[in-house]
Amino acid sequence: MSENITLDDMDNAPSETAQTGTDVVVTRDDLTAALARVSDENSQLKQDLEAAQKKIKTTEILDDLLEPSAKKAFNYMFCYSGAVGIILLMNGFGFFVNVLDPEVLKFLVGSTAVTVIGLVGMVLTGIFVGARR
């Protein structure tokens, strides 16, 4: 059976116990060094967190600034490609009195491809050179 511990037992308890072979001796200097190391790590982690938060905020600001330009570029690409497609269909079905020269058709198709490839490339690289790395 276990007895209840009282305040008298605590007052009568030894202040130190004998060391055993498995005990690890920790000095005040060891504790001070460990506290200094943990403090340095904490400081470094706080700086890393602050830098990451600034980087995220910068990315969010850039996204907000670039979004209208990206939408305008997409709308331009969509309208231009649609207009070229309509011209090609109208020419193919004979809606024009004078049929368009094959060189003009090549130019329209080529310029559409260049527009699409160029704008998609700009979007994939972050819209403007230097805006992102």
Side-chain angles (χ1 to χ4, degrees):
M1 287 190 173
S2 66
E3 295 181 29
N4 290 335
I5 298 175
T6 65
L7 290 176
D8 292 331
D9 292 333
M10 293 176 64
D11 289 338
N12 297 329
S15 60
E16 293 185 15
T17 58
Q19 273 189 340
T20 64
T22 59
D23 289 344
V24 176
V25 178
V26 178
T27 64
R28 184 173 293 275
D29 292 337
D30 294 336
L31 291 174
T32 304
L35 180 61
R37 182 179 45 80
V38 170
S39 178
D40 290 344
E41 288 176 5
N42 183 27
S43 174
Q44 183 61 41
L45 287 174
K46 284 182 180 178
Q47 288 175 355
D48 292 346
L49 176 63
E50 187 177 326
Q53 288 173 335
K54 286 180 182 177
K55 186 175 182 181
I56 289 170
K57 186 66 175 170
T58 301
T59 301
E60 289 173 355
I61 290 170
L62 279 176
D63 288 346
D64 291 342
L65 290 174
L66 296 176
E67 184 178 357
S69 297
K71 286 181 179 179
K72 289 177 184 175
F74 175 77
N75 288 336
Y76 170 76
M77 180 175 57
F78 184 79
C79 292
Y80 184 77
S81 299
V84 169
I86 290 171
I87 291 172
L88 290 175
L89 286 174
M90 288 176 68
N91 185 61
F93 286 114
F95 285 105
F96 296 128
V97 176
N98 297 327
V99 178
L100 295 177
D101 188 36
E103 294 300 318
V104 173
L105 296 176
K106 288 179 189 176
F107 174 78
L108 287 173
V109 172
S111 66
T112 303
V114 168
T115 301
V116 170
I117 291 170
L119 289 175
V120 168
M122 284 173 50
V123 168
L124 292 177
T125 58
I127 304 291
F128 302 109
V129 176
R132 301 189 189 239
R133 293 183 183 189

